[in-house]
Amino acid sequence: MTTTLDRATTPTAPDPPARLSLVPDGVRPGRLDGAWWPRSRDLLLELPALAADIDERWGRITRITLNPAQWPVIPRRIPVAGHTVHAGWFTTEQDEHTIAVFSYAPRRLNLLVVPPETDADDAARLMAEAAGSANTTGASGLLAVGTGGGGRGPGSRADFLPSALAPSDNDGAAARRADVARGRAASWPVPA
């Protein structure tokens, strides 16, 4: 006997709130508008909570862009609370550790994406730094500095993020690093 579950009628637990830190209202942001700490690298699971949190504060999200180096799959359309968010990607134009969020009001947020496997203390520090108005460091710079300067041992942030410290000398090098990052991301365990 085969049982088929319809996702629309199957009861599910409510989505946990997004782990998000934004620059306070009325404060001019630094290079980043805040940080987002997803629980996994699955945009279909993670984006609805982010959209719900930002929609309440800032207006309905219509589009996101990101760099595919840190995301194994980027769907073109993501269903979110009764509407669809369109996703796009840039391999050289956008820092691989950011997500740009656009709303109906012509507004844009540039958020640091804290890697899901980051421990809570490091994530809290990175999120506070990214949301600070004095932040003059980009996303890759914050991750490199925030993890002890980017040592190259196994499990170090520089090993985890192969292009965080390595500038691109040509388009082929950036593409190779993105392929390496995608391969590593596919083997990462999904946090519970």
Side-chain angles (χ1 to χ4, degrees):
M1 180 167 127
T2 303
T3 303
T4 304
L5 297 176
D6 181 6
R7 190 173 194 168
T9 60
T10 303
T12 61
D15 290 334
R19 299 183 293 187
L20 178 67
S21 175
L22 295 174
V23 174
D25 290 336
V27 175
R28 184 168 183 253
R31 288 189 67 185
L32 296 166
D33 298 303
W36 174 44
W37 184 23
R39 290 171 174 79
S40 72
R41 295 195 181 274
D42 185 343
L43 283 173
L44 289 172
L45 290 176
E46 297 297 332
L47 195 63
L50 176 66
D53 201 19
I54 291 178
D55 283 357
E56 290 177 14
R57 300 185 203 183
W58 192 67
R60 179 178 272 191
I61 292 176
T62 58
R63 184 168 52 103
I64 63 164
T65 63
L66 29 78
N67 187 307
Q70 301 299 322
W71 302 94
V73 176
I74 302 173
R76 290 196 178 267
R77 291 181 192 92
I78 303 167
V80 173
H83 71 284
T84 300
V85 174
H86 296 272
W89 58 89
F90 297 99
T91 56
T92 57
E93 297 88 353
Q94 186 167 343
D95 186 310
E96 68 183 81
H97 308 293
T98 62
I99 183 171
V101 180
F102 301 86
S103 74
Y104 275 121
R107 298 181 72 185
R108 171 184 174 155
L109 287 176
N110 290 314
L111 302 175
L112 164 71
V113 178
V114 177
E117 51 284 330
T118 304
D119 68 65
D121 293 335
D122 286 342
R125 187 181 74 261
L126 287 167
M127 291 176 77
E129 289 176 16
S133 61
N135 173 30
T136 59
T137 307
S140 289
L142 273 177
L143 286 170
V145 170
T147 57
R152 282 275 178 199
S156 71
R157 189 66 66 208
D159 181 53
F160 169 68
L161 304 170
S163 60
L165 299 173
S168 177
D169 51 357
N170 61 41
D171 290 335
R176 283 189 302 275
R177 284 195 306 274
D179 287 341
V180 168
R182 278 199 254 348
R184 288 181 181 170
S187 67
W188 291 332
V190 177

